[in-house]
Amino acid sequence: MRADLSRPLLPVTPEEPVQGTFDCERTVLVVARTVTSTGRLLEALRFFRDDFRVKPVFTVNDTSRYSAGAHELLAASGVEEIVPWDRVGELDYALALSASENIDFSRLRGTTVVLPHGIGFNKWVPDPTTRGTRLAGLPPVEALRTGRVRLVLSHPSQERQLREACPEIAGSTAVTGDPTYDQLRASLPLRDRYRRKLGLGDRKLVLLSSTWRSESELGAWRTLPLEMLAALPSDEYQVALVMHPNIWAWYGSRVVRNFFDRALDAGLLLIPPERGWHAALVAADVVVGDHGSLSLYSAGLGKPLLLSAFGAEHVPGTPVEELGRTAEHLVPGTGLREQVERALAHHDPQRFSGLTDGIFAHVGHAETRLRDLLYSELNLAPPPGEPPLLRPPDVDVTPQPVTAYDTFTDLTTDGDLRIRRFPASARQHDVAAEAGSPRHLAVEEDERDLHRPHQASVFVLRAPSPAPEARAWAARALESLPGARVIAAATESGCVAAVRRGPVVEVSGSADAMLLASTVYACWLEGDLRDRDIAVHAGETSLRVRLTVS
């Protein structure tokens, strides 16, 4: 909530009698503006953890269209008082902290440290004040001329770039390295943990990453998530999407989810703007990005990288331009699966090492260097020892279960069954079939599209029930869905499947009922429905299934 300013704002200074419990020696004014910058500022509070000498006070310079959500993000993090921007002049503070170059610096006194909310200065963006463009990340010349702005950089090359673009930057920069990059690198050994939290199993994670505006991945190729889901077998791949927070702020969460409704039904993991992208990047097997910062982080971590878009708004001579020249580009049209598989098969983890050496300085020490800079500006000795390098938060969302599969089966002469399943909601238009493989539609009872149960060859109740109840449900469903060939209901040990004008089959196996029901259908289609053991392969998962025909 906003601070109650009906009473005077009392500055916190050492000369005053202490009214609270802790004798805080310095106040830091945390100036949020957008969801992006607010997230970075909340992360930066870790530099003051356990230090009773420093008290953060929060405000929002909410003059941007992209400020939507900043107040809510602060509140969700536990910030209970937000000082209105027009009252910050009544505060006494030792240092202002921002992660945006677009705040109104004239309202602030003393030094303002500007943290980066991306990597480097790689993009031209519109400037409403001049109706031209400006270099994203660079504070206004008027603010630099005051000598009260310190701009944090990740590499000395950025300082050289900025001096050429704006000589007034001289003396206003500090090269600390990139704490986020250090955090990501140190998290790589936890990759299995993040994959386990995401429920990936043996599936590969394809992470789509889009910056904002029309030249971004989604601006240039808005159907990419749906096309990728349609091209990749669900038992082999999970697709996730990270979008720049400005996209969420511009359209709002409800509209964004409406844009990707079919993709969400197809199992898309939509990473929220406030947390989770670090974990998703560490867990990813391949990244499909654009000219945004996440592509550079991917290159720095040695991830396989494909560029699906690369906007002309990037700045010539920057590392991002070099990335655009050296990385593989995803070609629209056909063969998305083949391009992803090729990127995985032929990737060299050291491919971008020369590039990233020019992006990240002081690797492994950025956390300490940035903390020491902040304490130097506060005129306080930093806490002893190195600051902790905190683990990035988990992704706190899970994909929706896929309830309809476009399914392909191959039953071999030696008794093995290969099944490949694709989310039906992503394949609205006919997609090229797997060569020579029989195809059927398998639908679960929870499917939202009411047309699909009537189109299904296989219809399934996934929630387990005792065998007698499962048999009764299957019998009723056979009557109500005359187009279905196999109706199956899950049991604790597998499922019970009823075949139209055929037997009832008890299936024992540890797979989900959708996979087991498709196994029954494949055997029926081959005219080989009998008591048998069968090895079923779906993606990297292989299991033995027992069919008992009655």
Side-chain angles (χ1 to χ4, degrees):
M1 64 180 180
R2 295 176 181 267
D4 178 9
L5 294 176
S6 58
R7 59 184 187 276
L9 289 168
L10 298 177
V12 180
T13 60
E15 294 77 17
E16 279 190 344
V18 176
Q19 302 296 320
T21 303
F22 307 116
D23 186 7
C24 300
E25 300 177 32
R26 303 287 190 276
T27 296
V28 174
L29 179 63
V30 180
V31 184
R33 186 168 185 267
T34 65
V35 171
T36 310
S37 63
T38 304
R40 285 298 176 103
L41 290 170
L42 289 171
E43 293 172 5
L45 292 181
R46 67 187 185 274
F47 296 115
F48 306 120
R49 67 198 305 262
D50 295 324
D51 193 340
F52 292 95
R53 300 173 298 170
V54 179
K55 176 187 176 183
V57 174
F58 302 87
T59 187
V60 179
N61 181 198
D62 50 1
T63 56
S64 168
R65 171 70 183 267
Y66 301 105
S67 297
H71 282 278
E72 291 78 2
L73 185 54
L74 288 172
S77 72
V79 176
E80 297 180 345
E81 293 192 359
I82 301 175
V83 178
W85 178 247
D86 58 3
R87 301 295 298 275
V88 296
E90 301 176 29
L91 291 172
D92 188 9
Y93 50 91
L95 177 68
L97 191 62
S98 172
S100 170
E101 77 280 14
N102 291 318
I103 61 173
D104 183 1
F105 289 93
S106 66
R107 293 278 187 120
L108 305 175
R109 57 172 174 266
T111 299
T112 301
V113 171
V114 180
L115 305 176
H117 59 263
I119 302 177
F121 305 86
N122 305 309
K123 186 188 296 186
W124 297 106
V125 294
D127 185 356
T129 60
T130 65
R131 298 184 179 275
T133 59
R134 62 176 181 80
L135 186 60
L138 180 65
V141 172
E142 296 76 13
L144 295 173
R145 286 172 177 161
T146 66
R148 295 187 283 108
V149 174
R150 297 296 303 277
L151 187 61
V152 175
L153 311 179
S154 65
H155 195 275
S157 62
Q158 296 169 0
E159 184 168 13
R160 294 191 292 271
Q161 174 199 356
L162 294 179
R163 286 198 181 201
E164 291 180 6
C166 177
E168 290 85 353
I169 198 72
S172 298
T173 60
V175 180
T176 66
D178 189 328
T180 299
Y181 181 58
D182 284 2
Q183 193 180 31
L184 290 167
R185 289 180 71 252
S187 299
L188 289 176
L190 300 177
R191 182 171 181 269
D192 284 346
R193 178 189 188 278
Y194 288 124
R195 290 177 57 81
R196 190 169 61 251
K197 293 284 187 181
L198 288 169
L200 294 176
D202 295 323
R203 293 178 300 157
K204 299 177 179 66
L205 177 61
V206 177
L207 182 63
L208 310 180
S209 167
S210 179
T211 187
W212 56 298
R213 292 178 48 77
S214 61
E215 297 182 358
S216 67
E217 175 172 278
L218 290 177
W221 194 349
R222 66 192 63 183
T223 59
L224 178 60
L226 208 59
E227 291 182 44
M228 194 65 76
L229 288 158
L232 300 177
S234 296
D235 295 301
E236 299 178 36
Y237 293 92
Q238 170 71 59
V239 179
L241 173 61
V242 173
M243 294 185 294
H244 194 285
N246 282 357
I247 298 176
W248 293 87
W250 186 273
Y251 295 102
S253 177
R254 183 62 189 90
V255 172
V256 165
R257 297 187 68 84
N258 200 56
F259 285 151
F260 295 102
D261 189 62
R262 279 173 51 199
L264 290 169
D265 281 348
L268 177 69
L269 181 64
L270 188 57
I271 309 298
E274 65 274 6
R275 59 178 290 169
W277 72 265
H278 306 75
L281 178 55
V282 171
D285 292 278
V286 61
V287 177
V288 180
D290 52 20
H291 54 287
S293 293
L294 200 142
S295 295
L296 288 174
Y297 281 129
S298 303
L301 296 179
K303 297 280 183 179
L305 174 65
L306 292 167
L307 297 178
S308 62
F310 204 78
E313 62 189 3
H314 73 272
V315 177
T318 59
V320 107
E321 183 191 45
E322 184 179 347
L323 184 69
R325 291 197 309 268
T326 58
E328 297 290 336
H329 287 247
L330 190 71
V331 180
T334 60
L336 294 185
R337 178 177 170 186
E338 290 75 15
Q339 293 181 72
V340 168
E341 290 175 345
R342 189 163 55 247
L344 287 165
H346 301 293
H347 175 62
D348 176 9
Q350 301 303 315
R351 176 174 185 171
F352 302 111
S353 58
L355 169 66
T356 53
D357 286 346
I359 302 173
F360 306 110
H362 308 296
V363 176
H365 305 286
E367 196 91 354
T368 301
R369 291 178 64 88
L370 181 51
R371 181 205 61 179
D372 291 353
L373 169 68
L374 296 176
Y375 274 90
S376 174
E377 295 296 341
L378 286 170
N379 197 24
L380 285 176
E386 292 183 342
L389 192 58
L390 301 181
R391 175 177 57 78
D394 298 328
V395 179
D396 59 356
V397 292
T398 54
Q400 295 174 198
V402 177
T403 53
Y405 286 110
D406 195 11
T407 308
F408 298 85
T409 59
D410 287 300
L411 192 61
T412 64
T413 54
D414 57 2
D416 284 6
L417 176 65
R418 170 70 62 179
I419 297 180
R420 290 172 303 283
R421 303 187 294 174
F422 301 83
S425 65
R427 293 162 73 92
Q428 292 286 306
H429 304 291
D430 194 46
V431 179
E434 301 286 290
S437 299
R439 175 181 188 175
H440 69 268
L441 177 64
V443 178
E444 189 205 340
E445 187 190 48
D446 287 342
E447 168 62 28
R448 290 198 302 159
D449 186 341
L450 293 176
H451 293 294
R452 290 207 177 101
H454 299 278
Q455 300 163 348
S457 298
V458 174
F459 189 67
V460 180
L461 174 62
R462 246 176 183 161
S465 60
E469 295 179 17
R471 283 172 176 265
W473 179 88
R476 292 193 301 272
L478 273 174
E479 295 180 4
S480 60
L481 294 172
R485 176 57 59 180
V486 173
I487 302 285
T491 63
E492 294 297 336
S493 59
C495 76
V496 171
V499 180
R500 186 172 301 281
R501 292 187 293 275
V504 173
V505 184
E506 292 189 7
V507 188
S508 300
S510 57
D512 76 277
M514 292 276 277
L515 199 64
L516 298 178
S518 288
T519 300
V520 173
Y521 182 86
C523 292
W524 170 83
L525 195 64
E526 292 290 327
D528 195 16
L529 194 56
R530 55 183 168 84
D531 290 0
R532 62 184 298 185
D533 290 326
I534 184 170
V536 178
H537 308 281
E540 297 298 319
T541 300
S542 298
L543 66 151
R544 300 294 298 183
V545 171
R546 176 66 180 171
L547 305 185
T548 303
V549 179
S550 60

